[in-house]
Amino acid sequence: MSEESTKKQQLQKKFYAQTEDAVLQELGSSKDGLTNEEAKKRLSDFGPNELEEGKKKSMLQKFFEQFKDLMILVLLVAAIISAVVSHEVVDAIIILAVVIINAVMGVIQEAKAEEAIEALRDMSTPDANVLRGGHAQKVKSTELVPGDMVLLEAGDVVPADMRLIEASSLKIEEAALTGESVPVEKELGVLEDTEIGIGDRVNMAFSNSNVTYGRGKGLVVNTGMNTEVGKIAGMLAEADETETPLKNNLNHLGKFLTAAIIVIAVVMFFIGTVINDKDWTEMLLTSISLAVAAIPEGLPAIVTIILALGTQVMAKRNAVIRKLPAVETLGSTDIICSDKTGTLTLNQMTVEKLYTNDRQYPSSQHIPDGNMALKIMNFANDTRIGQNGELIGDPTETALVAFGNDQGFNVTEKVKAQPRVAELPFDSDRKLMSTIHQEADGRYLVAVKGAPDVLLGRCNQIQIFDEVKTLTNEEEQKILNNNKDMAKQALRVLGMAFKYVDAIPEQMESEIVENDLIFAGLVGMIDPERSEAADAVKVAKDAGIRPIMITGDHRDTAEAIAGRLGIIKPGDDAAVLTGAELNQMSDEEFAKKVEQYSVYARVSPEHKVRIVKAWQKEGKVVAMTGDGVNDAPALKQADIGVGMGITGTEVSKGASDMVLADDNFATIVVAVEEGRKVFSNIQKAVQYLLAANLGEVLTLFIATMLNWDTLLPIHLLWINLVTDTFPAIALGMEPAEKDLMSHKPRGRNSNLFSGGVFSSIIYQGILEAATVLWVYWSAIQWPVHAGYDAIHADALTMAFATLGLMQLFHAFNVKSVHQSLFKVGPFKNKSFNWAILLSFFLMMVIIIVPGLNDIFKVAHLDLYQWAIVVGSSFAIIPIVEIVKFFQRKMGAE
């Protein structure tokens, strides 16, 4: 059998469904572990216990990939033809500079991105305690092989996937893998169900999880890429990079412009050479001018700058963007798939209810002094208190001590007065824990905490306030009803009981210590939802975004939290799907039913990716939030992955497009609003630039048909790259419009031309072309100077100045597609005001300053000519205002 097939077989074995002896036999090992010689041989066969490094692109590869954009390629062709055929070297240099700057910015962004696999590699523990030939020794975790016997203690990081052979009060925290906030109590024995998720495989320990309590011994069954975390790494490496809506929009725009350019250029070339009998080289140069006019050279750089400005705003609001397109993608989000633990909840067990004295107390209510339930939950507790007052230990037990602190119960002082003198540690078989404390009167208090159903069977009395009485069937039923009520609310319920004895039992056995008890109460705990999460969910729903909860927790817990947050209606069991149920569905069947479910429980990493893909197949833009290793593949698969900055693993952050610095679900909604604003502002920039470019194309096209020489390539480059660029960037800093979050998401099929932008580009471009051609014609018809050269120079300069100034005036129009300029506010955006002034200055400099006007082939104009230029340019504002007025009237009707 080949090494690869051996590894595959090793990965597919369901060791949790086999007996310990069968697993030992399968792996050719024993309870004394492998010999050093056999371990060395297996290391050669299976390879080191480490994760494979993902393939990396070289910096050169990243640089050349930036030139795949269609608009960029057309620009490069135009630059080459300009330099070779027309010898317009200045034009070519300007175009090349823009292209290279854009490519460099793209490489810088990409260089920051993918660190997920490296983070996974760094997570592995450096050493492991193993039995080799019956002797305990420390070895590097990378040298572990299948068949090794590993010793586990509290504080250890599990170094590989293993089948547990021994477990003494062993608890392992697996939140990073399963999303479950409470450490799993490990048990031995065979699991009958062969199709259970990771979170339910209680006789297994998984690589990179943390031992929080007890000790154990496990047989290594999978190492390296065959471990559960290795499978995640593999999925992460193979996950497809999704195309962002913005990238798709720009690609479509590029294809549209290219097709339009080719058609118009061919028509122009044909008419010029065949009908007007012009020289073909002259018409080729005219076609190049057309390409320069039609392509918004600055658009890639402008979009990048607008996105970068968006990232700065979002960073101030605790949303750190790792990949620029993610800013805009957020604005088109339809679905937010959110991990529960640590994202919607606090990832911190908290007492919510206490049943004692025949009634339920909410955690906020004061518990009567001297309450025995409160005393027992603090006494039968192994929580340690750190130097700074922090609580160290099992999250369930620290939650009980924290509740005691809130109730004014000082456990340190109380235990000092009544010290622990004996104990029966928690055991997963009997599900109880007992401690014995010496009382001041010489008696001993036995404090017992554990599973309510087990504990109740050990009680024959009940305390209600200060009265102890016989536990009747009626009282027992009340306790069971309250236990059931709390469980329905997804609370984790523990029972408390006690008794007094005259002496410490000689035999510390459960039958002696934990019998004839007095029932004191029940405590219900939960990992509570974040206080702001419910409001964030409501805002998301109002904005047309559907929140989906995905968790490794149990169905009841997931359903209760989702109901409390408003993700589903409380008690809506039909909206919840478990990982086991999902396994029974084919991808086709799931795709048909995906819209029925808003909550997924007991899921694995593969399920998360399936859920994201199913929504994407529905054409939805999907955001996925998460903080664990188990979230990383889905974070990468989603249109936008949102990692947690505080509780998130480096793996989840590395796979994310955005990281929440405050781990606050509500921050996502803020980021969505900013994303919508960014897209709206990019639309404004596109409308502004393309209306200008359409005006230039039509001007050139019509002028060529009429045998006029209106604009030169250098004029078009200057307007496109200098005069237009600054206002376009400033439009990216426009404040959000008031009703932004009341609209439904744009979705995947929306584009930069939607919402009336396309029709605005068309009529405004025609208006600009008509104005420029009229100014050129009037300058020829009513010249100021004599002689053809002087008249033509004046007409060319007036056309150039009109086009430049009109586009600066037009920038005010595109502050809103339909709203009046005066309602939006013409001068609210200070950056925009300065951009207009700067562009106006640069426009005037090349016309007025001697030397520069020679380079740009323009002439000085007198006051009469400037009056025509300024008046014609300004006319675009009132004309567009009139059109907007009628558009609003028609829309209202």
Side-chain angles (χ1 to χ4, degrees):
M1 190 181 288
S2 69
E3 179 186 332
E4 197 59 39
S5 62
T6 302
K7 286 185 178 181
K8 193 173 181 182
Q9 185 187 43
Q10 176 202 12
L11 176 64
Q12 292 172 342
K13 290 285 182 184
K14 295 173 179 174
F15 296 103
Y16 55 85
Q18 299 180 37
T19 64
E20 295 168 17
D21 291 338
V23 177
L24 286 166
Q25 186 177 354
E26 183 78 38
L27 292 165
S29 186
S30 70
K31 291 190 177 182
D32 289 334
L34 303 172
T35 62
N36 285 320
E37 292 74 20
E38 178 63 20
K40 190 174 181 181
K41 178 179 178 297
R42 293 192 185 192
L43 186 61
S44 175
D45 290 340
F46 289 99
N49 177 33
E50 60 186 11
L51 302 178
E52 295 170 4
E53 194 165 358
K55 292 181 181 178
K56 291 183 179 179
K57 295 176 187 174
S58 68
M59 197 67 78
L60 200 61
Q61 283 177 307
K62 290 176 184 175
F63 182 76
F64 282 117
E65 281 187 358
Q66 307 301 317
F67 295 92
K68 289 181 179 178
D69 186 84
L70 199 57
M71 276 201 296
I72 298 295
L73 293 175
V74 174
L75 269 177
L76 287 173
V77 171
I80 292 166
I81 296 175
S82 291
V84 175
V85 179
S86 63
H87 305 292
E88 294 287 352
V89 179
V90 174
D91 296 7
I93 289 172
I94 292 173
I95 294 172
L96 286 172
V98 169
V99 169
I100 290 169
I101 289 168
N102 189 63
V104 169
M105 291 178 78
V107 170
I108 290 170
Q109 285 301 320
E110 221 177 298
K112 295 176 182 177
E114 206 49 71
E115 298 159 354
I117 301 298
E118 288 83 349
L120 274 167
R121 289 168 62 87
D122 293 342
M123 282 178 66
S124 57
T125 181
D127 293 308
N129 295 311
V130 300
L131 285 178
R132 292 268 171 91
H135 300 289
Q137 55 183 282
K138 275 194 175 185
V139 300
K140 290 182 179 178
S141 63
T142 54
E143 295 175 5
L144 287 179
V145 294
D148 261 328
M149 191 66 69
V150 177
L151 304 173
L152 297 173
E153 293 181 353
D156 287 350
V157 175
V158 179
D161 285 4
M162 55 185 73
R163 171 69 156 83
L164 294 171
I165 305 298
E166 292 179 10
S168 177
S169 302
L170 183 64
K171 294 184 183 181
I172 299 180
E173 189 267 311
E174 298 172 347
L177 271 172
T178 65
E180 191 167 355
S181 52
V182 179
V184 179
E185 296 174 10
K186 294 299 178 179
E187 299 176 8
L188 304 179
V190 179
L191 300 177
E192 299 297 331
D193 190 351
T194 58
E195 296 298 330
I196 57 176
I198 296 172
D200 293 317
R201 298 175 195 172
V202 292
N203 59 4
M204 299 285 291
F206 299 105
S207 180
N208 297 118
S209 55
N210 300 290
V211 180
T212 61
Y213 194 82
R215 56 186 175 77
K217 185 192 291 186
L219 181 70
V220 174
V221 294
N222 283 314
T223 57
M225 294 299 288
N226 285 339
T227 60
E228 292 297 332
V229 77
K231 286 196 282 183
I232 293 172
M235 290 166 61
L236 204 55
E238 293 167 12
D240 297 327
E241 289 285 350
T242 53
E243 290 286 313
T244 66
L246 179 62
K247 197 170 182 180
N248 284 331
N249 272 320
L250 291 175
N251 286 341
H252 292 150
L253 177 60
K255 288 174 184 176
F256 172 79
L257 288 175
T258 304
I261 290 163
I262 292 170
V263 170
I264 295 173
V266 168
V267 171
M268 277 183 64
F269 189 82
F270 176 79
I271 293 174
T273 54
V274 177
I275 297 176
N276 292 344
D277 199 27
K278 287 193 173 184
D279 181 66
W280 73 270
T281 55
E282 182 185 343
M283 287 310 303
L284 180 63
L285 295 178
T286 304
S287 298
I288 292 169
S289 298
L290 180 77
V292 171
I295 297 174
E297 293 86 353
L299 183 59
I302 287 167
V303 168
T304 303
I305 292 167
I306 291 174
L307 291 173
L309 292 170
T311 65
Q312 291 178 13
V313 173
M314 292 168 83
K316 291 175 183 175
R317 303 181 78 174
N318 293 315
V320 180
I321 298 296
R322 297 183 69 254
K323 299 175 185 176
L324 277 183
V327 180
E328 183 276 333
T329 309
L330 271 166
S332 57
T333 299
D334 297 288
I335 307 291
I336 298 178
C337 293
S338 176
D339 185 49
K340 178 186 77 69
T341 306
T343 308
L344 290 165
T345 64
L346 294 171
N347 194 17
Q348 179 183 325
M349 289 301 288
T350 306
V351 171
E352 186 152 297
K353 289 184 178 177
L354 178 66
Y355 173 72
T356 186
N357 298 328
D358 199 26
R359 58 169 292 187
Q360 278 192 24
Y361 293 85
S363 59
S364 57
Q365 188 172 339
H366 178 68
I367 308 301
D369 294 336
N371 183 270
M372 286 304 294
L374 186 62
K375 186 173 185 177
I376 292 157
M377 71 174 70
N378 281 271
F379 273 31
N381 196 310
D382 287 330
T383 297
R384 302 190 309 278
I385 300 176
Q387 291 181 343
N388 298 319
E390 70 276 16
L391 303 178
I392 305 165
D394 182 274
T396 300
E397 295 201 324
T398 58
L400 297 174
V401 174
F403 177 65
N405 285 338
D406 292 341
Q407 292 289 336
F409 187 94
N410 190 320
V411 67
T412 305
E413 289 182 2
K414 298 283 187 181
V415 172
K416 192 174 181 181
Q418 297 170 271
R420 183 188 299 190
V421 292
E423 63 185 287
L424 265 179
F426 176 82
D427 182 88
S428 55
D429 290 330
R430 75 179 205 284
K431 294 181 168 53
L432 296 172
M433 172 190 182
S434 299
T435 57
I436 300 176
H437 300 260
Q438 187 169 8
E439 296 280 303
D441 62 4
R443 291 187 304 165
Y444 294 89
L445 169 68
V446 179
V448 187
K449 173 183 99 235
D453 52 341
V454 176
L455 187 72
L456 205 53
R458 307 288 186 104
C459 296
N460 54 24
Q461 292 180 289
I462 183 171
Q463 183 183 47
I464 299 177
F465 292 102
D466 295 329
E467 182 185 357
V468 175
K469 60 183 184 179
T470 302
L471 181 63
T472 63
N473 290 335
E474 184 184 350
E475 293 289 350
E476 189 171 338
Q477 193 56 49
K478 275 187 183 178
I479 295 167
L480 291 172
N481 289 341
N482 276 275
N483 181 32
K484 187 177 180 181
D485 177 59
M486 289 187 190
K488 276 185 177 178
Q489 298 171 56
L491 301 181
R492 188 180 189 209
V493 186
L494 288 174
M496 276 78 61
F498 69 99
K499 69 177 178 180
Y500 291 100
V501 294
D502 294 326
I504 301 172
E506 292 182 9
Q507 292 179 307
M508 290 295 292
E509 295 177 359
S510 178
E511 291 74 16
I512 298 171
V513 177
E514 297 168 338
N515 267 323
D516 300 323
L517 301 173
I518 303 166
F519 181 82
L522 301 172
V523 64
M525 291 168 286
I526 199 168
D527 175 14
E529 69 274 19
R530 289 176 173 272
S531 58
E532 66 283 344
D535 289 337
V537 167
K538 184 179 183 302
V539 172
K541 282 188 167 185
D542 290 344
I545 300 166
R546 182 171 177 175
I548 304 288
M549 179 194 285
I550 303 177
T551 179
D553 261 349
H554 291 280
R555 184 188 194 114
D556 291 344
T557 306
E559 183 186 323
I561 291 292
R564 287 159 62 152
L565 286 170
I567 292 174
I568 61 174
K569 292 179 181 177
D572 186 3
D573 184 68
V576 185
L577 188 73
T578 65
E581 291 167 337
L582 180 53
N583 282 337
Q584 305 303 315
M585 294 185 189
S586 65
D587 287 342
E588 293 73 23
E589 185 184 357
F590 180 47
K592 291 176 184 176
K593 296 182 177 180
V594 67
E595 293 194 17
Q596 297 177 20
Y597 307 112
S598 293
V599 179
Y600 296 86
R602 302 308 274 172
V603 296
S604 67
E606 294 90 343
H607 295 141
K608 295 185 180 188
V609 175
R610 278 188 72 187
I611 294 162
V612 171
K613 283 184 175 179
W615 279 111
Q616 287 174 331
K617 284 178 183 175
E618 292 291 305
K620 304 297 184 182
V621 178
V622 183
M624 167 75 189
T625 73
D627 60 352
V629 176
N630 61 325
D631 298 317
L635 288 169
K636 192 172 180 182
Q637 175 64 43
D639 295 284
I640 174 160
V642 184
M644 300 294 126
I646 299 172
T647 59
T649 60
E650 289 305 311
V651 182
S652 61
K653 293 178 196 175
S656 299
D657 303 289
M658 180 179 90
V659 176
L660 303 181
D662 58 357
D663 282 15
N664 192 337
F665 182 81
T667 304
I668 300 170
V669 179
V670 170
V672 167
E673 182 180 3
E674 186 62 29
R676 290 188 176 190
K677 185 188 86 173
V678 164
F679 181 82
S680 174
N681 288 347
I682 289 174
Q683 269 194 316
K684 291 170 186 175
V686 167
Q687 180 187 341
Y688 172 62
L689 293 174
L690 292 190
N693 286 24
L694 178 61
E696 294 165 12
V697 169
L698 290 175
T699 300
L700 273 180
F701 183 78
I702 295 169
T704 302
M705 299 304 99
L706 296 172
N707 257 339
W708 292 357
D709 293 323
T710 48
L711 297 166
L712 301 174
I714 196 169
H715 294 158
L716 300 173
L717 273 174
W718 184 260
I719 289 172
N720 287 357
L721 294 176
V722 181
T723 312
D724 285 355
T725 298
F726 298 114
I729 293 171
L731 283 168
M733 302 172 74
E734 284 290 303
E737 295 184 34
K738 291 179 180 178
D739 59 348
L740 198 64
M741 287 299 281
S742 62
H743 300 155
K744 288 185 177 180
R746 299 189 314 277
R748 193 178 296 280
N749 297 323
S750 69
N751 58 63
L752 292 164
F753 294 140
S754 60
V757 172
F758 184 74
S759 58
S760 297
I761 289 171
I762 298 299
Y763 89 79
Q764 290 162 8
I766 292 171
L767 181 59
E768 288 190 25
T771 305
V772 172
L773 289 169
W774 181 84
V775 168
Y776 181 87
W777 177 80
S778 65
I780 298 290
Q781 289 297 113
W782 301 291
V784 172
H785 299 101
Y788 174 79
D789 289 342
I791 292 171
H792 180 259
D794 284 353
L796 187 70
T797 304
M798 289 175 71
F800 171 52
T802 299
L803 182 63
L805 288 179
M806 182 164 44
Q807 289 180 15
L808 294 183
F809 283 123
H810 183 50
F812 286 93
N813 288 325
V814 298
K815 280 173 171 277
S816 177
V817 178
H818 298 299
Q819 291 298 323
S820 168
L821 167 65
F822 305 103
K823 186 175 181 181
V824 174
F827 305 113
K828 282 184 178 179
N829 183 350
K830 291 182 180 178
S831 300
F832 179 84
N833 300 337
W834 284 110
I836 294 293
L837 289 174
L838 176 61
S839 294
F840 176 77
F841 172 76
L842 292 171
M843 189 75 193
M844 293 300 100
V845 161
I846 61 170
I847 295 175
I848 295 170
V849 175
L852 285 177
N853 53 12
D854 293 332
I855 294 172
F856 283 84
K857 299 173 184 173
V858 291
H860 290 289
L861 302 177
D862 64 16
L863 289 175
Y864 165 74
Q865 290 170 317
W866 274 116
I868 293 174
V869 167
V870 173
S872 301
S873 303
F874 180 78
I876 197 168
I877 288 181
I879 293 172
V880 171
E881 280 293 312
I882 291 168
V883 174
K884 284 184 181 180
F885 173 79
F886 284 108
Q887 284 178 334
R888 290 194 299 274
K889 283 289 183 185
M890 290 170 67
E893 294 169 5

